[in-house]
Amino acid sequence: MPEKMRAMVLSKLGPVESNPLKITEIDRHEITYPKEMLVKIEACGVCHSQLHSIEGDWEDIGIPPTLPTVPGHEVVGKIIEVGSDVTKFKVGERVGITPLLSSCLNCQYCNEGKEYLCEKMDVTGESLKGGYTEYITVSEDFATKVPDAMKPEYAAPLFCAGITAYKAVKATEPKKNKKVAIFGIGGVGHMAIQFAKIEGCQVSAVSRKEKHLEVAKKLGADNVFVYSSNQKQFLQDVNEKHGLFDAAIVFAPVDEVTDTAIKSIKKGGLVVIATVGKIPNFLAFEEKTIRGTLIGSRKETYELYKMSPHR
Ligand SMILES: [Zn+2]
Ligand SMILES: [Zn+2]
């Protein structure tokens, strides 16, 4: 008889108010190959994109690909058992797992360090291997060491929201005094402000909510702008108070916001899209670049943990 574990299992998509996640006893994951490790989960972040997939918002883009699943893809825990070929980690160490649970490590994307684009990747929380449970197994190649001094509940959100923010900031080609605007100050955007400041950028935060802009200021944003659906007025406001931005990152999943972000940057500027949606009007002759971004690589996750404050 395999050991059991408790898990929040999603068998049918639906609004969270209808409690689609049911606590269920399922077979505990076991090590099945030599490089695999068994992790006892200490904390798992609650990511907004996970909420979208639970509620069925992303069904048309194939997320989640199968049911039932155990959602949760910002996982932190302690290693309690290692396979015979594990060399990078020891029992007792704390590790984290991003949405990238595994990839083939053999294709062009994997060889270029963009394993999150691998066609054969497995996503954490889109099978029975997710974070809203007690145990998970992971290859030593897809776990990142969490510093001992960092509390698991602080570390967990960095494994999706954090790496997404970090990579999106990197995608703006940040440098000292570059004027970077961040549209959408939520779970990801508030982290992007901090990473952009570390890079020396002049950061503008844009949100509909004054409360979020207060947080943005506390986190170091140099300028804040209240977003308005009156695009003309918003752009005029930006122009008068600040001037057009060099680059913008869009975290708000609203096409209208993307359109405004594209118009709020200078000619030749860069817009990084870190959300799902359509790109509205795009004028090629302004030589703007639109760049998509998705989580981050294992290397970038490692960099992120090295630079994050340990608490
Ligand atoms: Zn996420
Ligand atoms: Zn691959």
Side-chain angles (χ1 to χ4, degrees):
M1 279 283 283
E3 282 196 48
K4 298 282 179 187
M5 64 178 184
R6 287 170 305 154
M8 296 301 281
V9 174
L10 176 73
S11 301
K12 190 170 169 280
L13 308 182
V16 280
E17 293 77 11
S18 68
N19 297 323
L21 296 175
K22 306 282 184 224
I23 192 154
T24 312
E25 281 224 319
I26 60 171
D27 288 349
R28 196 184 89 170
H29 303 298
E30 299 294 346
I31 291 175
T32 55
Y33 56 91
K35 287 188 100 178
E36 205 170 21
M37 315 189 287
L38 179 63
V39 173
K40 178 154 183 28
I41 297 171
E42 296 175 294
C44 183
V46 177
C47 177
H48 200 143
S49 61
Q50 196 75 86
L51 183 61
H52 283 301
S53 67
I54 291 169
E55 296 201 309
D57 298 343
W58 289 357
E59 227 179 334
D60 55 345
I61 54 169
I63 300 174
T66 56
L67 285 173
T69 65
V70 175
H73 63 211
E74 305 177 337
V75 189
V76 169
K78 278 204 169 157
I79 300 169
I80 58 166
E81 200 184 321
V82 292
S84 55
D85 285 357
V86 169
T87 57
K88 296 175 190 164
F89 296 97
K90 290 195 293 282
V91 167
E93 285 184 309
R94 179 172 286 142
V95 291
I97 306 167
T98 71
L100 184 70
L101 185 62
S102 71
S103 71
C104 82
L105 294 181
N106 204 19
C107 68
Q108 186 190 345
Y109 298 126
C110 287
N111 288 331
E112 286 175 352
K114 295 180 181 171
E115 58 275 5
Y116 48 85
L117 298 178
C118 179
E119 299 288 355
K120 290 183 187 154
M121 72 183 255
D122 286 322
V123 181
T124 318
E126 292 185 6
S127 65
L128 291 178
K129 282 191 189 172
Y132 299 168
T133 180
E134 296 178 283
Y135 300 89
I136 190 168
T137 50
V138 63
S139 158
E140 67 167 353
D141 292 327
F142 289 87
T144 304
K145 181 157 171 41
V146 174
D148 288 335
M150 202 179 219
K151 289 183 184 163
E153 63 271 33
Y154 284 100
L158 292 174
F159 277 96
C160 178
I163 183 63
T164 299
Y166 180 71
K167 165 94 165 318
V169 168
K170 288 278 182 199
T172 66
E173 298 170 10
K175 56 183 183 202
K176 201 166 185 320
N177 293 328
K178 186 161 181 165
K179 293 178 175 176
V180 176
I182 296 168
F183 286 74
I185 309 301
V188 186
H190 88 284
M191 294 201 204
I193 294 171
Q194 300 167 76
F195 294 130
K197 285 305 296 177
I198 291 170
E199 300 282 354
C201 300
Q202 277 188 45
V203 180
S204 295
V206 183
S207 172
R208 285 179 202 280
K209 295 181 186 146
E210 298 268 5
K211 230 175 159 179
H212 290 187
L213 294 177
E214 287 301 317
V215 174
K217 273 190 227 163
K218 279 190 198 141
L219 294 174
D222 301 283
N223 308 284
V224 296
F225 293 96
V226 180
Y227 182 81
S228 161
S229 290
N230 183 338
Q231 191 181 63
K232 215 175 141 195
Q233 195 196 320
F234 175 81
L235 292 174
Q236 198 182 330
D237 192 36
V238 168
N239 242 324
E240 280 169 10
K241 289 188 191 146
H242 181 277
L244 294 177
F245 307 116
D246 297 315
I249 310 175
V250 183
F251 292 117
V254 184
D255 298 346
E256 172 204 298
V257 176
T258 304
D259 186 56
T260 303
I262 293 169
K263 287 175 179 151
S264 73
I265 60 164
K266 293 173 192 166
K267 290 180 197 172
L270 187 56
V271 176
V272 174
I273 315 275
T275 179
V276 176
K278 293 191 185 68
I279 311 291
N281 321 309
F282 178 65
L283 203 54
F285 292 167
E286 290 183 338
E287 286 207 351
K288 292 176 181 175
T289 301
I290 295 180
R291 181 174 286 172
T293 182
L294 174 73
I295 49 172
S297 67
R298 295 170 298 159
K299 184 168 167 279
E300 285 152 340
T301 307
Y302 178 69
E303 285 167 14
L304 165 68
Y305 276 85
K306 262 181 63 182
M307 63 178 270
S308 294
H310 300 173
R311 52 178 174 175

